[in-house]
Amino acid sequence: MVLGSIFPIRDGLSTRQALELASFYLDNARQTRDVKLASVLCDDAAVVLSQVKRNAKWARKYAEDQDLKEGIAEAYIVLGKLQEQLGHLEKAQSSQKTAEKWSDTVSLQSASHASELNGHQQERDEQHIVPQYIFAKNIPRSITEFTLPKVDEPLESTYQLVYCLRALQSSSDDNLDPSVISWLRTVEDYEQDRLHELAGGVLRAFKRAELKDDKAAAEAVYLAPVLTNDAFRDLLREYYSLIDHSGLLYPSQLEGLAHLIQSADPGYIDADDIVKILELLYSRLRDTHQQSSHYMSQLTLALSHVLDAMADVDVRDLDREKLHEPLSSYLGALKGDSDPYFVYQAAYAYQALLCIPDDETAWQSTTRRTGGVVKGVTSLVSAVRGLDLNKFINGLEDIQRGLGGSKVVEVNMKAYDNVTTLSESGQGFLDNLKEGFGFDRKRDWYSALRGADILIRDGELATFKELVCNAPCRLDPAFQWGVCQRLGEIAVNPKWDLDTRRNAIEFLGEIYREDAVWGKQPTVKQWILDILMRLASSSRDGFQLHAEFAEDQLQELESNGDEKKHALFQNCRQSGPSFYPLRISLPEFASPSLLDRAQENTGVEGNLRLLRKQRTDGWDNVVYIPPQAKPSLQAADDTRFPLMEKTKEFLEREQKVFLLLGEAGTGKSMFCRELEHDLWQSYEKGIGRIPLYINLSTIDKPEHDMIAKHLQKAEFTVSQIRELKLYRRFILICDGYDESQQTHNLYMSNRLNQPVEWDAQMVICCRIEYLGVDYRDRFQPCDRNLRLESSMFQEAVIMPFTFDQVREYIKQYVSVHKTFWDESEYIRALELIPGLKEMVKNLFLMRLLLDVLPRVVDPGVDLSTTRITRVTLYDHFIEHWLVRGRKQLEKDLTDQEKAAFESLCQEGFTEKAVDFMKRLSVAIYREQDGYPFVSYEGFIDKDTWKTAFFGPEEKTQLLLKVCPLTRAGNQYRFNHRSLLEYGLELAVFDPHLSKVTLSASPLTPRKNTNSPWNFKAAIGSENVKTVVEQPMNTSSPLVTRSFVMETSVVEFLSERVQQEPEFKQQLLSYLEHSKKDRRWRIAAVNSITILVRAGVQFIGFDLKGIQIPGADLSNGVFDSAQLQRADLRMVKLGGTWLRQADMSGARMTDAQFGELPFLTPGDEVRACSFSPDNKALAVGLGNGNISIYATSSWEKVFTLAGHTGAIGCVVYSPRGDQIASCSLDTTLLLATIGQYGYGIRTQVFAPKYYLVIGMRSDVSHVHQIASKSPREVQIALIMYSPKGDQLASGSLDTTVRLWDIKTGDCRQILTGHDDTIFSVVYSPDGDRIASGGLDETVRLWDVSRDATRIVSSDHIMAVNSVKCSPTGKLIASGGSDATIRLWDVETGACHKIVRGHTQSISSIVFSPREDRIASGCTDGTVRLWDTEAGTCLHVLTGHSDSVRCAAFSPQGHTVVSASDDKTVRLWNVETGECLRTLEGHSDRILSVACSPNSSQVATGSADKTARIWNAETGESLQTLESHSGWVGDVAFSPQGDQLASAGYDKTIRLWNLKAGECRTTLTGHEDKVRSIAYSHQGDLLASGSWDKTVRLWDVASGECRSVVENIPSAIHSVAWSTTPNAAFLVTGSGDGSVLKWKVQTEGEQYSVHLGWKTTSGTLAVTGASIQGVHGLTSVNKQLLKQRGAIGEPKNVLRDTIKRLLVMASVTSRLNPPSAATTVTDTPSMTNLPRERA
């Protein structure tokens, strides 16, 4: 039986008790949802009811007891209904018949069970013992409300902690308050652990406290109800020790002990504990009983509470005599006291002592949980909720439901028996009490008072009143004394409301006043008066009102009763109140409390939980798309991989540093936050690696103790940080390396993973543009010279979003932000608005764009005509941000703020906010050098520049709130660094504020008729460049700070130049002013840097005397510019065109050209070797000699001769004091390396002195890398870089290629040689490469300058094909970098980059309708692309070798392709089907063209022939034979009657197709002709050659009308404009550049000048004058001379001295040669200058 154990001996029950038990079973059967349990309860009820039926005699005897009969009948009715519901029909019928039988004997006037209850209640109400208004109703229990904390939120008090833990204990209770239920649903396991941990921390703080005062003890004890068994017993031991060692036994200690014992769950306290406590109490009481009466009264009261609590503890089998012995003597001593208070407390304590051995008292379950009653937390069934006082008084009421436990019912029956057998003896108070000291008697008033205690605690005051008024022991003085004491406690307790406390006072008055009801016991009356007087004398805060109530009551009682009662009253008033305590409460907690100390000393895991919460809260709602990355800056785009997966692989492999690079706004920070969030989710408590996201900009000097500083900011204590350092592992996610303006290697400077240092892996992020030469040295987790640790370092470059990723991001964005546009509208805008697809590949720009687009684009507008640039995007974003911020400000303003707000609105709110943003941006750059975080503390910074932006002034605060700033504590920063840069850009030029003033100071092109481009036609009066001069502002940021290194700011400003002509003219004005006034020098530096970046070309400009030191003119165009006497110091000139420019007299100290001169040893170069100290280069030649060059000047120092055959290898010894060489004559000089019977190509010592031999034979790793090179490239030799991260290869295609060791990707192609390369060697520092070959030159390459090349819109390898679109709006280019790029014809801006091919693109062509592009590739495929979308429509496969050329038919239905497999294929454009294959050539086919009428196809082949084919049948119609070399290109004339063919024999031939004869041969090129193209009218033919020239030919006469010379690189492709009204050429070069040339007629001659060029390319200075230039080094002078510059710069004496010293140093390192070696051309120091090469 589940509940049968409640009454194990049913036979001992009276009839009423049995009936109540049956009713109890039936009530529970109705409430339970468990069918089996309900059935068992019904059976139990039937058994009990049968006991009543069998006693027929009893039934006759009590025939008059209608209540009993009706109760039995009702019980059987309920039983029958339940049995019917359970399906027990027979049992149900039997129960129903029994009910009818019992009901028949009941009088018709009998009431139902409920009526009977109401009747009894009414009878008692009529007695009017106590007025009805006193405790008229039960009230909610004493309530203490606490706020439920958020996760990891610090707690306010221990009360709140207990509140939370009780809620967790009651989580399964369905009656909980809704707010608590909601809180419980959100509490995760780790938060529950934190709360329990805090409870443990409070106990630890109590144990550690040196002074365990009452307040500390009270706080510790308050936790007792929510402690685990172990924690409880630990506290009990600590409290026992506290009492044992206390100098004086304090009442508060005993009160705390009582609370502690009452809080114990079953099993927490055993018999041994009780014995020990009693022995301790006796021992301590024995030592303290001689104290004052006041002290002893408090002590005795507290002792009573302790014994009460012990009486409630469920312990059994205690030795009665042994248990009572320790305290019996103490209580016996109080027995004889004359003071009734002490006698009463002793009697009460003794009664409690007598109850201790019992199995369980009446109130055990209900009093176990004491302390403040918490609303809505425990929701425990009230101890006496629903208590039927009638049945309690009569001893038959089942109060199980009120007491909440099975044992309570049993014991309450025993308590009832005690109460009902109480005899009112009539003895005096003291005699009555003293009689109860025998061990063999229990006095019933004690049980009644314990019941009253529970009623009071649970707020059942109305029931309490009924108990007091109707208890049979009502007149017992001890009972009345106890009732009065409890009423006094209610009156004095501030937790009760005022009405309740007043009712308690009035109740005392009723007991005093109504002698007929309560008797005339004078001691009780005196006790009442004493209580009232003490209440009346209380004047402390919070007690004033009840003092008034008590005094009023005393005044009313003064006249009550007869003379004796009056005398008693007067005697009491005269003697005044006694010192007896009404209640002893635990003291308030100390401040700081134990909880405060525990939270201060929260374990590491607690702080980690808080940190985790702070970092992960709200992140789940962030729109996030997993980014992709590639292995390095130089890696191909098709090597992309999921960045998160790669990062986690890095972390699992225990590598040390992961460098994440990316351009601004590509999502580096977003990825770092997602990585942190992901790592926190998988964090394992105590053992997991701790992820720390560290914004480096927020850490002061992160190069030292970065982790500790970050943890301190996160409020970790010093001891916690020490613990973490010693025992835990970290994953550092360091963001903003560039923003923190770092140059240190943070891994090394923080000594990570060193002994007794932090154990950590590092993921670190940086902008690409921030990096410089050897950037890896800043991040490698080792010394820069240690290659063995390179495996501990990994890098990745975050890639722009693919369009699929963009789509997914938009989908999420629309869903989260509920945008005005839907997904399809955004996609449509991206598809149609030019340039947006490229822009949204940047994550930050995409977020701005999605926010701005719906407001920028007008409904119904033609999206293809809409133009949105980055700076326009920011303009609209800031405008919207400020409008939205203004609306938010209006919602909640103080009066002062309203006044300030209205003033701002009158002045122009948006304008003021923009001005605030501009001024703040300028101040950050001026005061903090661009450091984005601003710390502001009012008291410290009140007199600094920061007050103007962060001070308390109302307008300042309003503007601060509305600006796009983020605040963290006292730190402010812009939401994104680009917003700071944009603010600075606005401060330079705000388009809304610009005003134009014309100036008469023109910057004009120089008229130079000697220019090979012939500018005469371009220098008419209508073309003179004039400057629109702006009012000069000396405080402009452009004037005060150089922005050359601020890439993003320059980008913003360059876009502004393209949009705002006024700004362009302003910048030109700064250049003009710099000529005359040095104050404008910085402005001029910035201006020309911005203008060059914006694509402004300075062809023929008058720039004489401009002051631009340090400017970046890279890739600028300054042909024929006048730069005489200009200040060009430290100017960057890499890739700049300065042809025919006049730089005479200019200052060019430390100018950076980005290139090095080549050497001309005079014979084939077979081997090269740098000396270990990098001061010399040895060059082995084909004639057997070895030339030694000084690297400081690149002049030859001496020559070693001795070999009779070509040098195979030359090498320095590790110390650099010997040179060893070998030759094809099979001899070795100065070193014996080995005997080889064949030529050795390269042989050098590696940095660690390993010997490496490179030969023709393939090495497996090299072969793998070489396989990624174009098929036609044959690698002749390879060389490792000193750091081992790179390979350099020389090949038969005359290029040097740099390969990434890890990925196998080609990083860079170095062009310049004209023949096969035989030697490639790195300098010891890896910054330079020397290469030599059959062209008899040694080329020197600065490979460090491109190591951090920013991914731009330009080709990074040769441009093999260029074409103009049919509409003339676009230019397409295809390159060896496997990309197609579309350029704007007018501006040269790159609109789109199309990727998909895996190898070099050899040919591209537009369809006639311009909607498609066909591309041929060396991977053997032809791809068809959608021009607008950039998507691949078809991949045409069928060729077995490289596709060299492709062409559309004029109608656009067919694509023709030519391949190295010697075939031509015709493809259906729509289906991708191969229509036919043309075969006939005996070698690879290099070119193909379609006739204007689509009937014929022309091809050119390596078999030196051109063929004409029938396009319909595939028949070969003609074979044109005349060329002596490969036919590299063919082109039909627009009329279709002529074919032009370009040959590798340096000629162009024009063929008459009708006759099949060569009509004209065009000669003049000095190298192979790679490309030809007819003009739109067909009167001109353009040809491009590897001789770096473009020629224009008159088709009719065959004469050359114009030559464009001195182009820096070989021409691979040439194309004419396709529209009749536009005359321009486009060329693609081997250096990756695309150039547009304007063609103009001048009589019978044509002039060609540059329209624009892409930034890729090499330095071009042909014809530039460097006469009298100051500061040029000999190396740069040599470079410029080699590139075609003219004139003699001024010599610098210090350069000469330095060069001499270096050459002497090199010479001194060499020992005298052996006899077999002769030294030639070796000058002495005196004649050294005469022998310079």
Side-chain angles (χ1 to χ4, degrees), residues 1232-1413:
T1232 303
I1233 297 177
Q1235 301 296 323
Y1236 299 92
Y1238 50 86
I1240 299 173
R1241 294 294 184 188
T1242 306
Q1243 180 173 327
V1244 297
F1245 284 98
K1248 286 182 176 283
Y1249 312 142
Y1250 296 105
L1251 188 62
V1252 179
I1253 301 176
M1255 297 173 289
R1256 289 277 185 176
S1257 58
D1258 287 332
V1259 180
S1260 61
H1261 185 60
V1262 177
H1263 178 73
Q1264 179 183 0
I1265 291 176
S1267 66
K1268 293 196 174 186
S1269 65
R1271 294 187 180 186
E1272 68 273 15
V1273 177
Q1274 299 181 24
I1275 297 178
L1277 55 104
I1278 57 171
M1279 178 62 60
Y1280 271 100
S1281 66
K1283 297 177 183 178
D1285 60 341
Q1286 192 180 75
L1287 274 178
S1289 65
S1291 63
L1292 301 183
D1293 70 346
T1294 74
T1295 66
V1296 175
R1297 296 175 185 252
L1298 307 184
W1299 307 87
D1300 187 280
I1301 288 295
K1302 294 181 180 179
T1303 66
D1305 295 311
C1306 181
R1307 290 183 174 182
Q1308 200 172 346
I1309 298 179
L1310 309 177
T1311 60
H1313 283 288
D1314 295 327
D1315 211 330
T1316 301
I1317 298 171
F1318 279 136
S1319 180
V1320 175
V1321 63
Y1322 279 92
S1323 63
D1325 57 11
D1327 291 344
R1328 293 175 179 176
I1329 288 178
S1331 61
L1334 295 180
D1335 61 358
E1336 302 185 2
T1337 64
V1338 175
R1339 298 271 175 174
L1340 305 171
W1341 314 94
D1342 184 351
V1343 295
S1344 63
R1345 66 180 285 262
D1346 283 328
T1348 59
R1349 183 173 184 172
I1350 301 173
V1351 177
S1352 68
S1353 59
D1354 307 317
H1355 287 285
I1356 60 174
M1357 296 183 185
V1359 175
N1360 300 319
S1361 181
V1362 291
K1363 288 292 189 293
C1364 296
S1365 66
T1367 61
K1369 295 181 179 179
L1370 295 174
I1371 294 171
S1373 60
S1376 294
D1377 58 2
T1379 66
I1380 299 170
R1381 297 169 192 257
L1382 302 182
W1383 311 85
D1384 184 279
V1385 165
E1386 297 301 324
T1387 65
C1390 182
H1391 282 182
K1392 191 181 275 76
I1393 302 176
V1394 180
R1395 295 179 172 89
H1397 281 295
T1398 59
Q1399 294 186 25
S1400 174
I1401 296 174
S1402 53
S1403 176
I1404 56 169
V1405 62
F1406 280 101
S1407 66
R1409 291 187 298 174
E1410 200 173 312
D1411 59 335
R1412 296 182 182 180
I1413 295 174

Side-chain angles (χ1 to χ4, degrees), residues 934-960:
V934 182
S935 297
Y936 177 76
E937 297 183 19
F939 179 76
I940 298 175
D941 298 314
K942 62 180 180 180
D943 297 325
T944 68
W945 64 273
K946 300 177 184 179
T947 301
F949 304 101
F950 309 103
E953 199 269 330
E954 283 81 6
K955 286 186 179 181
T956 300
Q957 285 297 309
L958 291 177
L959 294 174
L960 184 63

Side-chain angles (χ1 to χ4, degrees), residues 456-508:
I456 293 172
R457 287 184 183 125
D458 288 339
E460 302 287 340
L461 297 181
T463 309
F464 162 73
K465 179 179 75 172
E466 293 182 42
L467 172 63
V468 171
C469 294
N470 296 283
C473 60
R474 172 169 58 85
L475 297 179
D476 190 309
F479 178 71
Q480 291 183 6
W481 185 285
V483 169
C484 293
Q485 181 171 342
R486 283 154 179 78
L487 289 172
E489 289 179 359
I490 294 174
V492 80
N493 190 346
K495 290 186 178 180
W496 295 105
D497 61 76
L498 289 177
D499 287 340
T500 299
R501 293 159 68 185
R502 180 167 55 188
N503 284 173
I505 293 173
E506 291 172 339
F507 201 155
L508 286 169

Side-chain angles (χ1 to χ4, degrees), residues 732-845:
L732 306 182
I733 307 171
C734 301
D735 193 15
Y737 183 87
D738 50 303
E739 288 190 347
S740 66
Q741 302 177 346
Q742 275 296 309
T743 58
H744 295 85
N745 185 320
L746 297 181
Y747 183 94
M748 299 298 293
S749 64
N750 280 275
R751 295 181 53 79
L752 299 183
N753 299 304
Q754 297 297 312
V756 201
E757 295 292 343
W758 296 95
D759 185 346
Q761 294 173 277
M762 176 184 286
V763 177
I764 186 167
C765 298
C766 183
R767 283 189 186 188
I768 295 174
E769 53 265 37
Y770 183 75
L771 301 176
V773 178
D774 288 334
Y775 69 92
R776 289 184 180 88
D777 290 339
R778 301 194 202 177
F779 306 102
Q780 289 272 11
C782 59
D783 185 87
R784 62 178 295 174
N785 296 318
L786 293 178
R787 289 178 53 189
L788 296 178
E789 293 294 329
S790 61
S791 61
M792 295 292 99
F793 173 79
Q794 187 173 340
E795 66 179 303
V797 180
I798 196 166
M799 295 286 290
F801 276 1
T802 64
F803 200 62
D804 287 340
Q805 289 176 303
V806 171
R807 285 179 180 273
E808 180 59 28
Y809 188 95
I810 292 174
K811 181 179 179 180
Q812 292 186 28
Y813 183 89
V814 170
S815 174
V816 171
H817 295 282
K818 311 301 180 186
T819 56
F820 179 73
W821 274 12
D822 60 25
E823 180 184 352
S824 62
E825 289 175 296
Y826 278 116
I827 297 299
R828 180 172 178 270
L830 296 184
E831 294 278 6
L832 297 179
I833 298 178
L836 285 199
K837 271 192 176 181
E838 287 298 316
M839 192 179 295
V840 296
K841 292 179 180 180
N842 180 292
L843 178 60
F844 185 73
L845 292 183

